[in-house]
Each structure stands twice: as structure tokens, then as C-alpha cells.
Amino acid sequence: RTARIWRADDGVCLRMLTGHSDVVWSAEFSPDGSLVITASLDCTAKVWSAESGQCVRTLRGHGDDVKFADFSPDGAFLLTASKDRTARLWSAESGRSLLMLRG
């Protein structure tokens, strides 16, 4: 339900990212470090401000656990993969689902 941002040099918790209704499976920083994306067993991914810890966007559309979420190298897109056997490509700016792949 919660992800944490830790300071690497001394292990101090800087931010708690709280808002998922089930286990957080993964978390990744955006290329510029300003955002964090989390994947959860609540069937969503969330984008957070790394500075404030506030949720800035919730990505909904998967029918089962979201096991993976990450940013594209340029930060323009988000990718999620789910236990529902789909991967989705999202616009990082709008949060709109652009493409769904089944497999």
C-alpha cells in the first residue's frame, strides 16, 4: 500500500508514497528524478511527485494486478504490465492510455 523514498547515503526515509489499496509491487524514478511510478496489486499504477510525495496521476485500465511500471528513457511515456496479460503504453503528460498489447 505504501512505497518509500530513501536517502541512499544514510538510509533515512525521505517520503512515504501512500495511496494504493493493495501491495505495491514495483517503483521506478523518472529519468529526471522528479517523479516516481508505482505498480500495485490494486490493478493500478500511480505517478507521484518525488519532491512532495503527492500522487499526481492514477493509471486505471488493467483488469488484474499491475506487476511492472516504468518511464520511457525520455520520460514522455509510461509502460505498465499486468497479470491480465496486457501491457499498456500511456502518455506521461495526460495519463491517457495510448496502446494496449495482449499476450
Side-chain angles (χ1 to χ4, degrees):
R1 297 173 204 266
T2 300
R4 290 179 172 87
I5 299 174
W6 303 90
R7 191 164 50 211
D9 60 350
D10 61 8
V12 170
C13 180
L14 300 175
R15 302 277 178 277
M16 290 182 59
L17 311 178
T18 304
H20 282 289
S21 62
D22 207 333
V23 173
V24 174
W25 195 256
S26 71
E28 298 287 339
F29 279 97
S30 62
D32 67 4
S34 67
L35 300 171
V36 175
I37 188 168
T38 54
S40 174
L41 304 189
D42 67 5
C43 304
T44 71
K46 291 183 180 284
V47 180
W48 309 83
S49 164
E51 178 66 27
S52 70
Q54 296 298 308
C55 180
V56 297
R57 182 164 291 110
T58 300
L59 306 176
R60 292 182 177 87
H62 284 292
D64 207 336
D65 305 344
V66 179
K67 302 291 238 167
F68 173 82
D70 204 355
F71 291 86
S72 63
D74 64 1
F77 301 99
L78 309 167
L79 179 68
T80 57
S82 171
K83 193 175 172 185
D84 69 6
R85 300 181 55 123
T86 66
R88 289 181 180 257
L89 184 70
W90 310 79
S91 164
E93 184 177 335
S94 70
R96 189 169 57 98
S97 178
L98 303 173
L99 179 67
M100 182 176 65
L101 304 170
R102 292 189 185 276

